[in-house]
Every structure is written in structure tokens, then in C-alpha cells.
Amino acid sequence: MKFTLDETQNNRLLAAIFQELAVIVFDPQKEVVFANANMTDILGYSQEEIIGLPHRTFCFDHYAVSTDYQDFWNQLLYSKQRFQDKIIRKNKQGEKLILEGSYFPVLDEQQEVVNVVKIAFDITQREQALAVTIKKVQESAASLTRLSANGHQQVDHLSENLAQVKQLSDQNQATTHALEMDSQQVTAVLHDIDHIAQQTKLLSFNASIETARIGEQAAGFRVVADEMQKLAEQTKQLTQTIAATMQAINQQALVVLDSADSTTMKISDSQKSLAAVLHSYDTLRTTASLLNDEAEYLSETNDAELETT
């Protein structure tokens, strides 16, 4: 079923459009012939002031003298094609306005352009908010990049320290192993000395028996046997003392080895954790870079759209 508007409905529709939207009408000479209150409020002119003003009055000079400006009007007046885009204009005070505008030609019965109508939305505040948001995103990305770089530097420094600690721990562990081997060799030597002491004591005992058998003629030999007996006892006592000391050293060496092994494992775990942290910082830096790239792309795209109008 086809829907048609009578004159009353048509007037109501136009009144609703004029009430809600900013509308301005130009003649083929590009001069204003009509502007509703919404449009005059945006541009800062009164109804009386705006009538008859050329379109270029609302454009900045660099655009008004450009080929883009000529192409814009050729598209409307000669190609008779509509135009819709984000545009930059200026108000009466010369302040920058950002509008979402739609231009379309009005044709007569002979398909000639008699008027050009523009319907616009003031998006200045939205675009300004977008610019602020883009700037904040770029600042956040820069802050994340600095945070990542600082964290990466600190973790690298800590990793170097851990590597040095691990190197010292490995050296201490090797030294302790060597000390344990030396201790075992000393223990073996002490065992040999103890064996010699036992043999000396046995020899002294046999010498005492032989001295008793041959009587007073072996008095000097008895003195030697007694001294050998004393030396054997002293050697045995000294050997036992050294053996006890070496046993204590061995026990302490084992404790040091266990501690060194535990330290090495903890250092290794810490290095793995630091590697994971470094990976996180790298991911953070990459994310910040992508975020900054997206913000720059959005900013450049938005600026490019505005530069063409």
C-alpha cells in the first residue's frame, strides 16, 4: 500500500525535521536563502545576518580557495550528486566547528539545480572528546612502554646478579667437592699412620720382651723400646684427634653441599621465573606498541577525513 502525505502531514513532517535538525539552504550562486534556528545557533549568526552570505563565509580560507572546494560544488551543481561526510567549518567568531553534514541538490521539472540543502549535526564536542581519548591512549601506551622498559631493565640486572650468584655457588660447590676428596685422602693417610703406630707399638712390645730376656746388657735397648711405646701411644692419640676433626669437617662439607645444591635449585627456579617475567614485559611492550599504533592510525584517519573538507 503506497503511503502519501497530504499538505498538512507534509508541513508537520517538515516542521519536525526543522525542529530536530540543523538545516541550511543555498541557491545555485552558493548563497544562503534559508537557515533554521538550529543552524544559526551552531554558526552563531542571527536569521537576518545569515541570509545572503556566500557558502565560503563558513569555510576556512585554505579550503575555500582549494580545488577540493571547487570539486565539492561541481559534484552538487553539475554532477547533481549528494555529498555526505565529516566537514570542518567556522562560526561567526572564527572558531572551528566539526560537523557531520549531508548536502543534496534540489531539482526542478527540467532537472536543473534550484537549491542545495544541507542537513548537519554538530559533532565538535564528540570529536574533541575523541581527540582527548586518543591522546590519553597514546600517553597510556607510552607509560606502559616506559614501565615495560624499566621493568625489563631491572629484571635483566637481577638476572645478571643471579647468574653471578649461581657462578659463585657452582664454584663453592666444586671447592667443597674437592675439599671432601682431600678429606677422604687425609683420612686414608691417617689410617696408614694408625696402622704404622700399631706396628710400632707391637714392635716396642716385642722389644720389651727381648730386653727382659737378655737382662741388664740390653738396658739401652729398653730405653729405645720405651720411647717407641710412648711414640706409638702419642701417634695413636694424635691420629684419633685428627680423625675426629676430619669427620667433623666431612659432616660440615656434606651440609655445605646440601645447602649448595638447594641454593642452585632455587637460583635455577628463580631464573625460570625471571624469564617468565621478562616474557610478560615483552608482551606488555608489544601490546603498548600495538595500542599506540592503533591510536595513531585512528588519529591520522580522523585528521585525513577533516583535511579533505
Side-chain angles (χ1 to χ4, degrees):
M1 180 178 177
K2 186 177 180 180
F3 178 74
T4 59
L5 297 174
D6 57 28
E7 185 176 355
T8 301
Q9 291 172 324
N10 188 61
N11 290 336
R12 288 175 180 172
L13 178 60
L14 289 175
I17 292 176
F18 286 171
Q19 182 178 355
E20 297 298 328
L21 303 177
V23 180
I24 189 169
V25 181
F26 300 92
D27 62 18
Q29 286 71 45
K30 310 171 189 175
E31 294 181 354
V32 179
V33 296
F34 172 82
N36 68 354
N38 291 336
M39 182 61 77
T40 56
D41 288 342
I42 291 175
L43 295 175
Y45 292 89
S46 68
Q47 290 281 348
E48 293 76 13
E49 290 175 325
I50 202 168
I51 301 301
L53 291 178
H55 179 267
R56 66 175 59 244
T57 304
F58 315 113
C59 302
F60 288 96
D61 292 341
H62 70 278
Y63 177 61
V65 297
S66 68
T67 55
D68 289 334
Y69 183 73
Q70 297 300 323
D71 293 340
F72 162 74
W73 276 107
N74 289 338
Q75 177 179 333
L76 292 168
L77 296 175
Y78 303 113
S79 299
K80 303 172 185 178
Q81 296 178 353
R82 66 192 301 271
F83 175 90
Q84 181 176 357
D85 207 341
K86 190 184 298 181
I87 57 178
I88 293 178
R89 296 292 182 262
K90 64 178 180 178
N91 61 15
K92 183 179 178 180
Q93 291 73 35
E95 297 169 336
K96 179 179 177 180
L97 297 174
I98 304 176
L99 307 176
E100 186 69 42
S102 179
Y103 292 78
F104 53 90
V106 179
L107 309 179
D108 61 12
E109 291 79 2
Q110 287 75 37
Q111 299 299 302
E112 296 296 330
V113 176
V114 293
N115 290 114
V116 172
V117 179
K118 171 186 176 181
I119 299 175
F121 300 91
D122 187 359
I123 59 172
T124 304
Q125 292 184 350
R126 188 188 75 184
E127 291 298 309
Q128 290 174 344
L130 176 60
V132 171
T133 300
I134 291 174
K135 183 178 180 181
K136 289 182 178 179
V137 170
Q138 291 175 326
E139 290 174 351
S140 297
S143 178
L144 289 176
T145 300
R146 288 193 298 270
L147 175 63
S148 174
N150 291 336
H152 206 291
Q153 184 178 5
Q154 293 174 3
V155 171
D156 283 341
H157 181 66
L158 183 57
S159 296
E160 292 176 0
N161 289 340
L162 280 176
Q164 292 177 1
V165 171
K166 186 176 184 302
Q167 183 179 4
L168 292 174
S169 177
D170 291 342
Q171 291 175 354
N172 291 338
Q173 194 172 15
T175 301
T176 306
H177 277 296
L179 179 61
E180 184 182 19
M181 296 298 296
D182 292 341
S183 176
Q184 291 175 357
Q185 293 178 357
V186 171
T187 300
V189 172
L190 289 175
H191 179 74
D192 292 341
I193 293 174
D194 184 66
H195 179 69
I196 293 172
Q198 294 293 337
Q199 293 296 323
T200 302
K201 185 176 181 180
L202 180 61
L203 180 61
S204 174
F205 180 73
N206 290 333
S208 297
I209 294 175
E210 185 63 23
T211 300
R213 188 179 66 80
I214 61 178
E216 294 181 356
Q217 295 179 357
F221 190 66
R222 178 184 297 276
V223 173
V224 174
D226 291 342
E227 291 300 322
M228 289 178 63
Q229 178 74 17
K230 292 178 182 180
L231 179 61
E233 290 294 336
Q234 291 175 354
T235 302
K236 182 177 181 180
Q237 292 177 0
L238 182 59
T239 301
Q240 291 174 346
T241 300
I242 295 174
T245 302
M246 292 306 302
Q247 184 177 4
I249 292 175
N250 282 334
Q251 291 176 348
Q252 292 298 320
L254 290 175
V255 171
V256 172
L257 281 176
D258 290 340
S259 177
D261 290 340
S262 178
T263 300
T264 300
M265 291 180 61
K266 289 181 179 179
I267 291 175
S268 179
D269 291 341
S270 297
Q271 288 176 323
K272 291 178 181 178
S273 298
L274 285 176
V277 173
L278 283 176
H279 178 71
S280 298
Y281 276 122
D282 289 337
T283 302
L284 179 62
R285 182 162 50 190
T286 301
T287 302
S289 178
L290 292 175
L291 184 63
N292 186 64
D293 290 343
E294 289 295 327
E296 288 183 354
Y297 174 77
L298 181 59
S299 179
E300 291 172 359
T301 301
N302 191 56
D303 292 342
E305 291 178 354
L306 295 175
E307 286 173 359
T308 59
T309 54

